[in-house]
Amino acid sequence: MAAPATEHVRNIVLVGQDGSGKTSLAEAMLHVSGRTPRMGTTHDGKSFLDYDDEEIRRKFTIGTSIAPIPYKDFKINVLDTSGHPDFIGDTMACMQAAEMALFVVDAVAGPQVMTTKLWREAEDMRLSRAVFINHIDREHADFDTAMALLHARFGSRLGSVTIPIGQDADFKGVIDVIRMTARYFDQDGTTERIEDIPEKYLDEARVAREKLCDLVAEADDDLMMKYLDGEEQLTQEELENLLDKAIAQELFIPVFVGSTIIEQGIQGLMEDIATYFPHPRHHGRFRLANGEETFVDENGEPAAFVFKTIADPYVGRLSFLKVFSGVLEPGMEIINSRTGKKDRIGHLYVMMGKEATDVKSAKAGDIIVVPKLSDTRTGDTLSKSGDIAIDPLPLPVPQYPVVIEACNKNDEDKLGTFLARTAENDPTVIITRNEETRQTVVTTMGDTQVETILKRCKDQTGVDVRLGKLRIPYRETIRKTAEAQGRHKKQTGGSGQFGDCWLRLEPNPGAGYEFLDEIKGGAIPNGLIPAVDKGVQDAMAEGFLAGYPMVDIKCVVYDGSYHSVDSNEMAFKTAARIGFRAACEKADPVLLEPMAEIDVTVSEEYAGTVMGDVSMRRGRILGTDSNDAGDTIIMVRIPYAEVVTYTKDLRSITRGNGSYTLKLEGYEPAPADVTKKLVEAYQVSRSSN
């Protein structure tokens, strides 16, 4: 398979809400183009693109698949992404590899929450956009209503390039507004009929064309002036010559309509993608890590960035690359700018779902897959010199922590290896080991991502895993000054043990632990003072109330006694522990809970609901603000234990509309009911051990 020239490549990322038909659109394009022998479908598990076991089971896309579609002399790389919020990181990373985002919108439901979120991301990336209104043959589908919702949500620069011939059960084909023809696709998979526009749709088609000319004329100042002055209408040649420029400059956002299931509106969509959608040299600039910028250049040194990695159980690691400079070939040596390590390209694959085809080269602008690159991650840049580094797109920060444990302790190493590989392949999965709680914490985007990780772990490693209870990092401290004696005496025949110390504990807010020696007259020998310090620190690590580490305490040893034979380090460590606990009892010990500061971003209609929910979780609202999109930002200080599961809770109360950022910020005394529950649980655990 020969590598297509840069100007003959189109990289299109399909984005939008789950259920809008992104995968079925890609499957329809594959079938209509002749790339596949049948129309693949997700609902019966026979999709060419949703081939993963979890995708088949759940009946929606989890990870991005590529559909390379041949159309005339063009190669259209369609990236079919997930519309589920748990997998938005993968979707955003793949958007960086495309020149055009094609938003798929259900004709009945209209643009939903994920569509809006991803639209804003595309705007921030300065990515050209188009819309495909799908399922126009569904019951209650209405094209005018769908267009009105799109205009209300995304502005007036959207214009129809196709309109439906009938809708609901009467949908038959589409009117091509650019060429002013009617197009009907006969479902034998080969033929499209192009006819005159039916008389009853002529007025609607003329109105749509006038709107189209209004928007497109802005791409040429001279034509725009003539057009506004009413001197002349745009000719067919002028319209077609301006369309690609208007789309690339985001002056015009084309809207297509059709039905993927009956494959209507697909042939014309592919024709317009090839004819008018921007090719890679029109993508604009890539920002480099050093602050400079670069563009797609087929004559430059070979270079590509990794926008996705997966671990294939049969082939191994697969790196999905966008070539932005030069030509890549098998056998070529490349350098990873992050690690500085050299690697050799063994094969170049064009992927269609899970089907891999060897190719001899890949030119700038194309998307290619390379297997078995060592220590290569999503976001890396590979080049001949190693001196080029694309600044990777900031991805959403996962906020949903869970504890994953192996059911059998002998499988812990296998589980650790699997989780490390998962985190390497997916930047929205963060693995940490909390030595204090002795838990492996996996921070993810949500429940569905967690369930997918658990299932894949079982399928790929055979390890049975379970979710454990996340232990919140509470702390303990004291609020009063208190003194107590710690005395340890043990005689068992022969030399015994004797340690005696008087301790004074004082609150030490924000200053951590301090130990002072105020012994006078050699009441405790200098060589045994460090043992007192160590005994106190051991007791603080164990906690007093509920088994949590103690903090912000000043401890003074000011008196004591010793025995010339029986006193030793162990005896004084034990005495110090006894004295510390005795003093704590009188020092008004208190449990401290970790506090989080969160900024919740939500549309105005849900702001009151979120504020009420925050109050029920013992949160304090610090203030509110708004962003450029008109959303409300609610700034909150809240106990961390109350928002550990806030990812799924916020989705539930805002119907997926809200998002938030979180950072841990200090500790505050826990209320009596929280303290009581934790103390009782601690006492039960101690009595059972």
Side-chain angles (χ1 to χ4, degrees):
M1 185 182 293
T6 299
E7 60 270 19
H8 282 182
V9 173
R10 301 291 183 270
N11 297 308
I12 312 299
V13 59
L14 302 182
V15 287
Q17 192 82 23
D18 264 348
S20 59
K22 299 182 297 298
T23 300
S24 63
L25 175 56
E27 298 277 5
M29 292 170 73
L30 284 167
H31 182 229
V32 169
S33 71
R35 182 71 173 80
T36 54
R38 59 173 174 79
M39 168 79 177
T41 53
T42 301
H43 69 272
D44 61 2
K46 295 181 179 179
S47 167
F48 290 98
L49 300 177
D50 283 355
Y51 58 87
D52 180 85
D53 289 342
E54 275 296 281
E55 292 176 323
I56 294 170
R57 186 172 74 87
R58 293 180 179 276
K59 294 182 170 54
F60 66 74
T61 301
I62 291 174
T64 301
S65 287
I66 301 179
I69 297 170
Y71 182 79
K72 297 181 179 178
D73 294 332
F74 295 85
K75 178 190 179 189
I76 304 172
N77 290 316
V78 174
L79 287 82
D80 175 34
T81 69
S82 177
H84 193 287
D86 280 11
F87 306 104
I88 191 174
D90 184 69
T91 299
M92 288 171 58
C94 293
M95 288 169 72
Q96 194 179 20
E99 285 77 56
M100 169 67 81
L102 180 54
F103 285 80
V104 183
V105 174
D106 183 83
V108 178
Q112 296 172 274
V113 172
M114 279 295 289
T115 309
T116 303
K117 284 186 177 180
L118 292 168
W119 188 279
R120 291 175 183 171
E121 294 295 341
E123 281 184 320
D124 290 343
M125 295 181 202
R126 300 306 306 270
L127 195 59
S128 297
R129 277 148 282 146
V131 178
F132 183 84
I133 298 176
N134 194 19
H135 304 145
I136 197 66
D137 56 334
R138 274 190 179 172
E139 187 178 1
H140 304 306
D142 186 276
F143 179 71
D144 290 337
T145 300
M147 283 299 297
L149 289 170
L150 286 168
H151 282 134
R153 188 73 55 87
F154 303 130
S156 60
R157 294 201 173 275
L158 286 82
S160 303
V161 291
T162 59
I163 56 178
I165 300 174
Q167 52 192 13
D168 201 320
D170 297 328
F171 176 63
K172 302 179 184 66
V174 299
I175 293 168
D176 183 338
V177 176
I178 298 172
R179 300 165 189 85
M180 291 299 281
T181 56
R183 308 179 77 143
Y184 308 86
F185 188 76
D186 295 329
Q187 283 188 278
D188 60 5
T190 58
T191 59
E192 183 186 40
R193 290 182 290 114
I194 299 179
E195 300 177 359
D196 291 336
I197 297 173
E199 178 106 16
K200 65 182 290 189
Y201 292 102
L202 271 173
D203 288 344
E204 185 180 354
R206 288 177 183 133
V207 169
R209 185 178 172 90
E210 284 179 15
K211 171 72 181 292
L212 175 62
C213 290
D214 286 347
L215 292 168
V216 169
E218 292 186 43
D220 186 290
D221 290 341
D222 292 338
L223 280 176
M224 183 64 183
M225 292 307 298
K226 292 180 182 178
Y227 189 73
L228 290 175
D229 291 341
E231 292 182 19
E232 56 185 48
Q233 297 295 312
L234 292 184
T235 65
Q236 184 68 20
E237 182 181 7
E238 287 170 340
L239 174 63
E240 295 194 23
N241 286 341
L242 287 176
L243 266 169
D244 59 346
K245 188 186 294 186
I247 293 171
Q249 293 176 3
E250 302 171 68
L251 297 171
F252 169 60
I253 298 171
V255 179
F256 300 83
V257 68
S259 172
T260 56
I261 299 303
I262 61 174
E263 299 180 316
Q264 293 290 345
I266 308 302
Q267 185 86 34
L269 171 64
M270 290 192 295
E271 183 173 338
D272 286 348
I273 287 173
T275 308
Y276 304 118
F277 280 22
H279 63 71
R281 280 202 302 272
H282 288 166
H283 176 274
R285 60 192 66 82
F286 292 98
R287 185 173 296 280
L288 300 176
N290 63 7
E292 297 178 1
E293 295 172 343
T294 189
F295 296 81
V296 170
D297 178 12
E298 55 267 52
N299 298 314
E301 74 163 281
F305 69 86
V306 183
F307 65 89
K308 178 181 174 68
T309 57
I310 63 172
D312 187 278
Y314 304 106
V315 183
R317 176 178 292 172
L318 296 174
S319 300
F320 290 64
L321 311 182
K322 169 67 173 286
V323 185
F324 62 87
S325 180
V327 180
L328 295 187
E329 297 175 337
M332 180 178 287
E333 193 174 75
I334 51 175
I335 300 173
N336 187 321
S337 64
R338 176 178 58 85
T339 64
K341 293 180 181 178
K342 293 181 179 180
D343 217 329
R344 188 174 296 277
I345 297 175
H347 294 272
L348 293 175
Y349 293 152
V350 168
M351 300 289 291
M352 198 278 286
K354 65 179 177 180
E355 173 192 299
T357 304
D358 264 299
V359 294
K360 295 180 179 179
S361 63
K363 295 179 181 178
D366 205 355
I367 288 172
I368 205 75
V369 178
V370 180
K372 300 179 181 178
L373 293 176
S374 61
D375 195 21
T376 300
R377 304 175 187 172
T378 299
D380 284 351
T381 304
L382 312 172
S383 65
K384 192 76 172 175
S385 67
D387 296 332
I388 305 173
I390 296 290
D391 191 16
L393 182 74
L395 296 179
V397 178
Q399 305 279 11
Y400 187 68
V402 296
V403 173
I404 296 181
E405 303 169 335
C407 296
N408 187 330
K409 286 194 173 183
N410 294 330
D411 289 331
E412 286 181 353
D413 287 345
K414 283 185 182 178
L415 172 61
T417 300
F418 170 80
L419 291 176
R421 188 170 66 243
T422 299
E424 283 182 10
N425 293 331
D426 187 348
T428 63
V429 176
I430 298 175
I431 313 295
T432 54
R433 177 68 182 175
N434 189 322
E435 294 303 331
E436 177 190 323
T437 62
R438 296 183 293 281
Q439 292 181 316
T440 297
V441 180
V442 183
T443 308
T444 67
M445 299 295 293
D447 271 341
T448 303
Q449 191 177 30
V450 172
E451 292 167 9
T452 301
I453 290 171
L454 296 178
K455 187 69 168 61
R456 285 178 174 167
C457 182
K458 174 63 176 175
D459 292 346
Q460 295 178 20
T461 68
V463 173
D464 288 314
V465 292
R466 65 190 173 207
L467 292 179
K469 183 176 176 59
L470 181 70
R471 195 166 188 229
I472 304 299
Y474 292 97
R475 294 288 183 264
E476 300 176 19
T477 192
I478 59 173
R479 291 185 282 197
K480 292 181 180 178
T481 298
E483 298 178 350
Q485 180 186 24
R487 182 177 173 86
H488 173 63
K489 184 177 182 180
K490 188 175 183 182
Q491 195 72 40
T492 57
S495 60
Q497 290 191 11
F498 180 83
D500 176 29
C501 59
W502 281 87
L503 304 178
R504 181 171 64 250
L505 304 185
E506 302 173 13
N508 202 24
Y513 169 68
E514 288 186 57
F515 180 80
L516 299 178
D517 173 12
E518 293 184 358
I519 294 293
K520 295 178 181 177
I524 300 175
N526 288 338
L528 294 175
I529 297 297
V532 177
D533 183 11
K534 183 67 168 63
V536 169
Q537 291 190 54
D538 288 348
M540 288 179 64
E542 292 175 5
F544 178 77
L545 288 171
Y548 293 98
M550 303 192 75
V551 295
D552 293 347
I553 294 176
K554 181 187 291 185
C555 177
V556 181
V557 55
Y558 63 91
D559 201 358
S561 62
Y562 74 101
H563 188 278
S564 59
V565 175
D566 293 346
S567 290
N568 54 39
E569 290 185 359
M570 183 60 69
F572 269 91
K573 279 177 64 176
T574 304
R577 290 161 67 104
I578 295 169
F580 180 84
R581 293 190 66 83
C584 273
E585 253 187 284
K586 299 182 285 185
D588 192 14
V590 62
L591 188 76
L592 301 174
E593 57 182 352
M595 301 299 291
E597 291 192 355
I598 61 175
D599 290 348
V600 185
T601 302
V602 67
S603 63
E604 188 177 351
E605 63 182 303
Y606 292 108
T609 304
V610 170
M611 289 181 186
D613 180 70
V614 163
S615 297
M616 291 176 61
R617 295 170 186 263
R618 301 187 289 122
R620 300 194 304 272
I621 295 171
L622 305 178
T624 60
D625 201 352
S626 60
N627 60 18
D628 293 340
D631 294 327
T632 300
I633 302 171
I634 306 166
M635 292 157 277
V636 177
R637 183 168 174 84
I638 193 167
Y640 177 58
E642 298 286 345
V643 288
V644 168
T645 61
Y646 199 53
T647 294
K648 65 178 182 181
D649 299 339
L650 183 64
R651 282 181 193 166
S652 175
I653 63 177
T654 66
R655 298 184 180 180
N657 181 276
S659 62
Y660 72 102
T661 59
L662 178 150
K663 64 177 179 179
L664 293 179
E665 196 66 43
Y667 283 78
E668 292 183 9
D673 60 329
V674 173
T675 300
K676 181 182 178 183
K677 183 191 292 187
L678 291 170
V679 169
E680 288 175 351
Y682 175 61
Q683 290 171 346
V684 169
S685 69
R686 289 189 69 188
S687 62
S688 63
N689 288 336

